[in-house]
Amino acid sequence: MAESKKYDRVAIVTGGASGIGFVLARAMAENRYAVVIADMQNAESSAEKLRRDGLSAVGVKADVTSVEDTTNMVEFAVKTFGGLDVLVNNAGIFTSLTLKPFDQISPAEWMKVMEVNTLGPFLCVKAAVPSMRARGAGRVVNIASTSQLKGAPYMLHYTSSKGAVVAFTRSLARELGSDGITVNSIAPGFTLSDGVLATGMEEKMGDVVRRTSRSIQRDQVPADLVGALLFFSGHGSAFITGQTLAVDGGSVFL
Ligand SMILES: NC(=O)c1ccc[n+]([C@@H]2O[C@H](COP(=O)([O-])OP(=O)(O)OC[C@H]3O[C@@H](n4cnc5c(N)ncnc54)[C@H](O)[C@@H]3O)[C@@H](O)[C@H]2O)c1
C-alpha cells in the first residue's frame, strides 16, 4: 500500500533553524504542515532533525534581505511540496543587539536592524504572495514584539523596527483581504530563545521583566507562541486579519 501523505499544508518559517523559529517550525511539522526552514545558517541540518522524527521538512539557505534568496526560497517550497499556504516572518535581529542609549546607536547599526527586521518581511511577502494568490488563499504571520507596544529603552532601532512590522501587518492586510490572504502578527514578550540564553540577555533582563510587568510571573519560552501561530495559520482565523496578538503572560493589554 502506498504511504499516505504526511502533510496537509505547506509553511515557510524564516529564521527557522534556531531559537523561536525552530520551535515554531517543529510545532507546525507536528501539526501536519510540510515545513521549509529558511535561514542564513544551519537550515538543512535543522530540517534534518525534524525529518529524523518522521516529520516533513526541508531546509534552504536564505538571507531574508536578499531578493534572489527570498525568490529562491519560495520557488524551492513550491517545487518541493507543491504550493505555499503559510509564511512565518520570524527571522530578525534581536539577540545579537548591543543594548545602548539611542544617541550611541550608529546609522549603520540602525540600518542593519531595519534591513533584516523590515526589508526582510517585505521581500519574503513579495516572493510568497503570487503563489498564495494563485490558490486564492494564504496566511502571513509576522513575529513582532511587545517591546514596541510598551516602549523599551536602549534598543530604539529594534523597537522602531517592530513598530514597523505592526504597521506593515495592518496595511498589507488591507491589500490582501480580497485575495483570501490574512496577515497577522504575534507580539512575544521577552522569550528564552536559544539566542537569548547564549548571549546572557536573560541575566540582564529576565528578572526585571518577570517581576515588573507580567501577570503570569514565569519565564516565557518559545513553546508559548505555538498556540497563537497555529491559530493564525489555520482555518479558524479565516475572518481575522491585520491583528497583533500579544503573547507575553499578560504584560501588555491591547
Ligand atoms: N527572544 C525574545 O525575547 C523575542 C521577543 C520578541 C520578539 N522576538 C522576535 O522573535 C524572532 C526570533 O527571535 P529569537 O530570540 O529566536 O532569535 P535568535 O537570534 O535566537 O534566532 C534568530 C534566527 O534568525 C536567523 N536570522 C537572522 N538574520 C537572518 C537573515 N537575514 N536571514 C535569514 N535568517 C536570519 C538566525 O540565523 C537565527 O536562526 C525575531 O524576529 C525576534 O525579534 C524575540
Side-chain angles (χ1 to χ4, degrees), residues 228-251:
L229 177 66
L230 294 177
F231 175 64
F232 280 140
S233 301
H235 299 296
S237 61
F239 201 54
I240 299 174
T241 193
Q243 304 302 312
T244 296
L245 179 62
V247 180
D248 66 348
S251 180

mmCIF file of all heavy atoms in Angstrom, residues 228-251:
data_model
loop_
_atom_site.group_PDB
_atom_site.id
_atom_site.type_symbol
_atom_site.label_atom_id
_atom_site.label_comp_id
_atom_site.label_asym_id
_atom_site.label_seq_id
_atom_site.Cartn_x
_atom_site.Cartn_y
_atom_site.Cartn_z
ATOM 1 N N ALA A 228 -0.758 30.489 19.319
ATOM 2 C CA ALA A 228 -1.122 31.662 18.506
ATOM 3 C C ALA A 228 -0.758 31.427 17.042
ATOM 4 O O ALA A 228 -1.515 31.787 16.134
ATOM 5 C CB ALA A 228 -0.417 32.905 19.038
ATOM 6 N N LEU A 229 0.398 30.825 16.804
ATOM 7 C CA LEU A 229 0.816 30.590 15.413
ATOM 8 C C LEU A 229 -0.132 29.614 14.715
ATOM 9 O O LEU A 229 -0.561 29.850 13.576
ATOM 10 C CB LEU A 229 2.253 30.050 15.356
ATOM 11 C CG LEU A 229 2.700 29.719 13.937
ATOM 12 C CD1 LEU A 229 2.790 30.973 13.071
ATOM 13 C CD2 LEU A 229 4.029 28.982 13.936
ATOM 14 N N LEU A 230 -0.475 28.528 15.399
ATOM 15 C CA LEU A 230 -1.369 27.547 14.759
ATOM 16 C C LEU A 230 -2.744 28.167 14.508
ATOM 17 O O LEU A 230 -3.381 27.895 13.491
ATOM 18 C CB LEU A 230 -1.480 26.281 15.619
ATOM 19 C CG LEU A 230 -0.175 25.470 15.733
ATOM 20 C CD1 LEU A 230 -0.371 24.271 16.670
ATOM 21 C CD2 LEU A 230 0.317 24.986 14.371
ATOM 22 N N PHE A 231 -3.167 29.029 15.412
ATOM 23 C CA PHE A 231 -4.459 29.709 15.226
ATOM 24 C C PHE A 231 -4.409 30.622 13.996
ATOM 25 O O PHE A 231 -5.258 30.525 13.105
ATOM 26 C CB PHE A 231 -4.801 30.507 16.478
ATOM 27 C CG PHE A 231 -6.042 31.342 16.336
ATOM 28 C CD1 PHE A 231 -7.288 30.743 16.141
ATOM 29 C CD2 PHE A 231 -5.970 32.729 16.396
ATOM 30 C CE1 PHE A 231 -8.432 31.525 15.990
ATOM 31 C CE2 PHE A 231 -7.115 33.506 16.253
ATOM 32 C CZ PHE A 231 -8.344 32.907 16.045
ATOM 33 N N PHE A 232 -3.403 31.488 13.915
ATOM 34 C CA PHE A 232 -3.332 32.423 12.790
ATOM 35 C C PHE A 232 -3.050 31.698 11.463
ATOM 36 O O PHE A 232 -3.343 32.237 10.388
ATOM 37 C CB PHE A 232 -2.261 33.487 13.024
ATOM 38 C CG PHE A 232 -2.686 34.618 13.929
ATOM 39 C CD1 PHE A 232 -1.809 35.137 14.873
ATOM 40 C CD2 PHE A 232 -3.949 35.188 13.824
ATOM 41 C CE1 PHE A 232 -2.184 36.202 15.691
ATOM 42 C CE2 PHE A 232 -4.341 36.242 14.641
ATOM 43 C CZ PHE A 232 -3.451 36.748 15.580
ATOM 44 N N SER A 233 -2.471 30.512 11.526
ATOM 45 C CA SER A 233 -2.163 29.765 10.301
ATOM 46 C C SER A 233 -3.349 28.929 9.818
ATOM 47 O O SER A 233 -3.381 28.520 8.661
ATOM 48 C CB SER A 233 -0.993 28.795 10.545
ATOM 49 O OG SER A 233 0.137 29.500 10.958
ATOM 50 N N GLY A 234 -4.285 28.664 10.709
ATOM 51 C CA GLY A 234 -5.316 27.662 10.413
ATOM 52 C C GLY A 234 -6.628 28.254 9.919
ATOM 53 O O GLY A 234 -6.783 29.463 9.747
ATOM 54 N N HIS A 235 -7.590 27.362 9.726
ATOM 55 C CA HIS A 235 -8.880 27.769 9.142
ATOM 56 C C HIS A 235 -9.718 28.596 10.116
ATOM 57 O O HIS A 235 -10.532 29.413 9.699
ATOM 58 C CB HIS A 235 -9.659 26.530 8.698
ATOM 59 C CG HIS A 235 -8.917 25.742 7.654
ATOM 60 N ND1 HIS A 235 -8.640 26.258 6.407
ATOM 61 C CD2 HIS A 235 -8.354 24.511 7.677
ATOM 62 C CE1 HIS A 235 -7.950 25.366 5.702
ATOM 63 N NE2 HIS A 235 -7.762 24.301 6.458
ATOM 64 N N GLY A 236 -9.515 28.393 11.409
ATOM 65 C CA GLY A 236 -10.341 29.081 12.415
ATOM 66 C C GLY A 236 -10.163 30.587 12.440
ATOM 67 O O GLY A 236 -10.989 31.308 13.016
ATOM 68 N N SER A 237 -9.085 31.087 11.826
ATOM 69 C CA SER A 237 -8.833 32.542 11.860
ATOM 70 C C SER A 237 -9.110 33.189 10.497
ATOM 71 O O SER A 237 -8.620 34.288 10.228
ATOM 72 C CB SER A 237 -7.385 32.813 12.268
ATOM 73 O OG SER A 237 -6.493 32.234 11.332
ATOM 74 N N ALA A 238 -9.898 32.514 9.668
ATOM 75 C CA ALA A 238 -10.095 32.990 8.282
ATOM 76 C C ALA A 238 -10.658 34.411 8.190
ATOM 77 O O ALA A 238 -10.428 35.103 7.207
ATOM 78 C CB ALA A 238 -11.018 32.023 7.537
ATOM 79 N N PHE A 239 -11.374 34.851 9.232
ATOM 80 C CA PHE A 239 -12.005 36.186 9.173
ATOM 81 C C PHE A 239 -11.288 37.175 10.096
ATOM 82 O O PHE A 239 -11.853 38.193 10.502
ATOM 83 C CB PHE A 239 -13.492 36.049 9.545
ATOM 84 C CG PHE A 239 -14.351 37.184 9.046
ATOM 85 C CD1 PHE A 239 -14.369 37.542 7.706
ATOM 86 C CD2 PHE A 239 -15.144 37.901 9.926
ATOM 87 C CE1 PHE A 239 -15.157 38.593 7.255
ATOM 88 C CE2 PHE A 239 -15.945 38.953 9.485
ATOM 89 C CZ PHE A 239 -15.944 39.301 8.145
ATOM 90 N N ILE A 240 -10.035 36.871 10.432
ATOM 91 C CA ILE A 240 -9.251 37.740 11.321
ATOM 92 C C ILE A 240 -8.016 38.174 10.554
ATOM 93 O O ILE A 240 -7.219 37.334 10.121
ATOM 94 C CB ILE A 240 -8.834 36.982 12.598
ATOM 95 C CG1 ILE A 240 -10.072 36.538 13.373
ATOM 96 C CG2 ILE A 240 -7.929 37.857 13.472
ATOM 97 C CD1 ILE A 240 -9.778 35.654 14.564
ATOM 98 N N THR A 241 -7.857 39.470 10.359
ATOM 99 C CA THR A 241 -6.662 39.936 9.645
ATOM 100 C C THR A 241 -6.275 41.332 10.112
ATOM 101 O O THR A 241 -7.112 42.076 10.633
ATOM 102 C CB THR A 241 -6.869 39.874 8.113
ATOM 103 O OG1 THR A 241 -5.603 40.044 7.467
ATOM 104 C CG2 THR A 241 -7.837 40.932 7.610
ATOM 105 N N GLY A 242 -4.988 41.638 9.981
ATOM 106 C CA GLY A 242 -4.472 42.943 10.392
ATOM 107 C C GLY A 242 -4.242 43.062 11.891
ATOM 108 O O GLY A 242 -3.932 44.141 12.386
ATOM 109 N N GLN A 243 -4.374 41.941 12.606
ATOM 110 C CA GLN A 243 -4.323 41.991 14.076
ATOM 111 C C GLN A 243 -2.933 41.692 14.623
ATOM 112 O O GLN A 243 -2.130 40.993 13.991
ATOM 113 C CB GLN A 243 -5.310 40.977 14.670
ATOM 114 C CG GLN A 243 -6.739 41.154 14.196
ATOM 115 C CD GLN A 243 -7.286 42.533 14.510
ATOM 116 O OE1 GLN A 243 -7.160 43.027 15.623
ATOM 117 N NE2 GLN A 243 -7.888 43.171 13.508
ATOM 118 N N THR A 244 -2.691 42.200 15.821
ATOM 119 C CA THR A 244 -1.473 41.856 16.557
ATOM 120 C C THR A 244 -1.899 41.261 17.897
ATOM 121 O O THR A 244 -2.660 41.888 18.629
ATOM 122 C CB THR A 244 -0.599 43.104 16.780
ATOM 123 O OG1 THR A 244 -0.162 43.573 15.499
ATOM 124 C CG2 THR A 244 0.622 42.776 17.629
ATOM 125 N N LEU A 245 -1.445 40.062 18.161
ATOM 126 C CA LEU A 245 -1.797 39.378 19.410
ATOM 127 C C LEU A 245 -0.570 39.347 20.315
ATOM 128 O O LEU A 245 0.469 38.789 19.948
ATOM 129 C CB LEU A 245 -2.268 37.949 19.099
ATOM 130 C CG LEU A 245 -2.662 37.089 20.299
ATOM 131 C CD1 LEU A 245 -3.841 37.695 21.052
ATOM 132 C CD2 LEU A 245 -3.034 35.678 19.844
ATOM 133 N N ALA A 246 -0.691 39.956 21.487
ATOM 134 C CA ALA A 246 0.411 39.922 22.451
ATOM 135 C C ALA A 246 0.383 38.581 23.181
ATOM 136 O O ALA A 246 -0.628 38.204 23.771
ATOM 137 C CB ALA A 246 0.267 41.070 23.444
ATOM 138 N N VAL A 247 1.495 37.868 23.101
ATOM 139 C CA VAL A 247 1.632 36.601 23.828
ATOM 140 C C VAL A 247 2.789 36.818 24.788
ATOM 141 O O VAL A 247 3.966 36.670 24.423
ATOM 142 C CB VAL A 247 1.916 35.435 22.862
ATOM 143 C CG1 VAL A 247 2.061 34.124 23.638
ATOM 144 C CG2 VAL A 247 0.814 35.311 21.817
ATOM 145 N N ASP A 248 2.451 37.265 26.004
ATOM 146 C CA ASP A 248 3.515 37.748 26.895
ATOM 147 C C ASP A 248 3.189 37.573 28.380
ATOM 148 O O ASP A 248 3.708 38.313 29.222
ATOM 149 C CB ASP A 248 3.808 39.233 26.591
ATOM 150 C CG ASP A 248 2.625 40.133 26.937
ATOM 151 O OD1 ASP A 248 1.517 39.597 27.180
ATOM 152 O OD2 ASP A 248 2.803 41.359 26.988
ATOM 153 N N GLY A 249 2.304 36.610 28.683
ATOM 154 C CA GLY A 249 1.978 36.382 30.094
ATOM 155 C C GLY A 249 1.188 37.525 30.716
ATOM 156 O O GLY A 249 1.234 37.724 31.928
ATOM 157 N N GLY A 250 0.479 38.270 29.891
ATOM 158 C CA GLY A 250 -0.350 39.349 30.430
ATOM 159 C C GLY A 250 0.467 40.536 30.884
ATOM 160 O O GLY A 250 0.342 41.012 32.020
ATOM 161 N N SER A 251 1.319 41.015 30.015
ATOM 162 C CA SER A 251 2.096 42.217 30.325
ATOM 163 C C SER A 251 1.465 43.438 29.662
ATOM 164 O O SER A 251 1.164 44.425 30.318
ATOM 165 C CB SER A 251 3.541 42.009 29.846
ATOM 166 O OG SER A 251 4.320 43.127 30.123
#
